[in-house]
Amino acid sequence: MTPSTQQSEVILSINPANGQVAGQVEKNSERQVERAIDLANQAHIEGTWRKMLPHERAATMRRIAAYLLEDKERLALLQMRENGKPILECLRIVDNAANAWVYYAAVLETLETEVTPPRGNYLSHTILEPFGIVAAITPWNSPLMIESYKIAPALAAGNCVLLKPSEETPQTSLELLKFAKLAGLPDHTLQVIQGTGAEVGPKLINDDRVQMITFTGGTATGRTIAKAAAERLVPCTLELGGKSPQIVFADADLDLAVDGVVKGICGAAGQSCTAGSRLLIESRIYDDFLGKLKYEMSLVRVGAPHLETTQMGPLASFKHRDRVAALVDLAREEGATVELGGFSPQGELSSGAYYAPTLLTGLSNNSRTWNEEIFGPVLCVRSFDDIEDLMRDANCGSYGLAAGIWTREFQKAWDVGRAIDAGTIWINTYEQSSLSTPFGGFKQSGIGREKAAQCLRTYSQIKSFYWGMNT
Ligand code: NAD
């Protein structure tokens, strides 16, 4: 039996590397959620936070970053025990989280609004106002980082935030809350709501006092949240799933491409929304490239996440590992050949939620497993002969988050990059990520953009002022 993460009044975190309890947090009742919304509302009306000057709010945010960095090793270990990511990756996640607080502090201090051209005897200009209460709902794959990417700009804009972390990784959010308090964030400006989506989600997304929703997670949940937001006519941003193609042309630097393709699917054990989970190889190099890829993927060191030599840890939970295994079984039924992997490693890894790097060929472009997100280390491969072939297979399905293009011809990279329906295009690199560059999806991979300076405006509403000059 795989361990369950749920009990009645607490949420247990289960370490996916060994199935042992990694910690527990208290679940919030519906009444407690209601109380948290009341308190956030009061905090917004009193306005201690939103009325602070930008440089004062920025100073608080920089203090949060400093606390995160001071406690980097412990936070990385905490996250590692909750979702099984290798320790080196968990350390990077803490850095990224801290960077978000520093970055949005800088954006806040340098943010400018417009004086607009008058068409009469008045002065007109804009200011930015917070929405009030923002609900931030997050997944389990990089909690501290994704939470910071949402909360830092939302708080910078002067909002109060109710953070609902994933029930799979509830602990790191409480650390963020603790540091926010130590840094001097006024009471109830940030609160954490613990519980499953089904238990606490509806109250949070349907309460009229919640004036904006920011969500990262699966597309089905995103649709539920968008419907709730539409019903109340409040804005929402959605960062959803992906099935991103990696495209390898015959003229590419093939060693570089193999490396990028392996990292693109085995990094975070494929549990990244931008995982390069479908591969299109130009047919004249198909056999050669597939051979190289199979060899390189077989060398990926799967192991305990606390070891610095580990390249791929377990999946984030036993439930999720079983889901990935079921999708690989479905691929088999759909006619896939399993070139590599397709099993849970045994021996010393048998007590964890591990799944081997897996390579599937022979899927048609209308099969479910070519089009659906598996969110594990499972790469689906097809070949292409010409651009028409390529674009059909790269753009099919409902997702449009990212794509990788490997070629030495800049014109070809540009043309294909423009033709791909995706929010991020990587050329001769993959999963390069910068806080200062917008991120988000086309099609059903999302609505809106995160990161970059403009994100602070996403959490703000514009107010226009006219000052008459006739008195
Ligand atoms: P999920 O949709 O199951 O859950 C995400 C969050 O939503 C959790 O906190 C969950 O409790 C909550 N939730 C679930 N039902 C809810 C409801 N009815 N109302 C309110 N909240 C509800 O997703 P997950 O399994 O935690 O995360 C994996 C998914 O996240 C993948 O599809 C992945 O691609 C996506 N993701 C996207 C990005 C991105 O930036 N585009 C980043 C990371 C993960």
Side-chain angles (χ1 to χ4, degrees), residues 4-173:
S4 153
T5 50
Q6 302 314 321
Q7 287 192 343
S8 54
E9 300 304 323
V10 294
I11 302 175
L12 290 182
S13 291
I14 302 296
N15 183 339
N18 54 24
Q20 289 169 6
V21 174
Q24 67 176 55
V25 302
E26 257 179 61
K27 241 185 209 186
N28 292 126
S29 65
E30 202 173 311
R31 265 190 55 208
Q32 286 172 315
V33 180
E34 174 74 26
R35 175 83 181 131
I37 300 174
D38 287 345
L39 291 170
N41 198 41
Q42 265 173 34
H44 174 64
I45 292 167
E46 283 163 16
T48 314
W49 177 244
R50 72 183 153 84
K51 288 177 191 165
M52 278 166 71
L53 292 171
H55 71 280
E56 294 167 340
R57 291 208 297 268
T60 309
M61 294 174 63
R62 281 192 295 271
R63 284 196 290 274
I64 296 175
Y67 281 121
L68 286 169
L69 290 177
E70 254 173 44
D71 226 352
K72 181 169 159 178
E73 277 73 26
R74 190 182 61 83
L75 292 170
L77 283 169
L78 187 65
Q79 183 169 279
M80 183 197 81
R81 291 190 192 109
E82 278 199 316
N83 75 1
K85 280 196 171 178
I87 188 66
L88 294 180
E89 199 172 332
C90 290
L91 288 164
R92 278 198 301 275
I93 284 172
V94 184
D95 282 335
N96 290 344
N99 286 343
W101 291 93
V102 174
Y103 178 82
Y104 284 106
V107 173
L108 174 59
E109 282 200 84
T110 54
L111 189 70
E112 291 179 353
T113 49
E114 303 97 343
V115 173
T116 52
R119 295 173 71 94
N121 193 20
Y122 55 79
L123 169 73
S124 51
H125 69 97
T126 61
I127 60 165
L128 295 173
E129 296 277 26
F131 282 99
I133 304 178
V134 173
I137 302 175
T138 53
W140 41 259
N141 51 347
S142 302
L144 204 56
M145 183 177 88
I146 294 179
E147 287 158 12
S148 295
Y149 284 178
K150 290 185 182 303
I151 304 171
L155 286 179
N159 295 287
C160 293
V161 176
L162 295 172
L163 166 63
K164 196 213 97 50
S166 167
E167 55 274 29
E168 305 286 344
T169 49
Q171 293 189 93
T172 44
S173 58

Side-chain angles (χ1 to χ4, degrees), residues 30 81 88 197 295 348 364 366 396 430:
E30 202 173 311
R81 291 190 192 109
L88 294 180
Y295 176 69
E348 59 186 23
S364 73
N366 57 15
C396 71
Y430 201 75

Side-chain angles (χ1 to χ4, degrees), residues 137-142 146 164-168 195-198 200-202 204-205 215-222 224-225 238-242 271-274 320 373 375 399 401 439-441 445 450:
I137 302 175
T138 53
W140 41 259
N141 51 347
S142 302
I146 294 179
K164 196 213 97 50
S166 167
E167 55 274 29
E168 305 286 344
T196 65
V200 295
L204 208 51
I205 61 179
F215 171 75
T216 297
T219 295
T221 315
T224 304
I225 285 169
L238 305 174
E239 292 295 344
L240 308 176
Q271 303 163 111
S272 152
C273 52
T274 49
H320 186 57
E373 186 181 46
F375 221 53
Y399 291 117
L401 195 56
F439 175 75
S445 285
E450 289 199 326

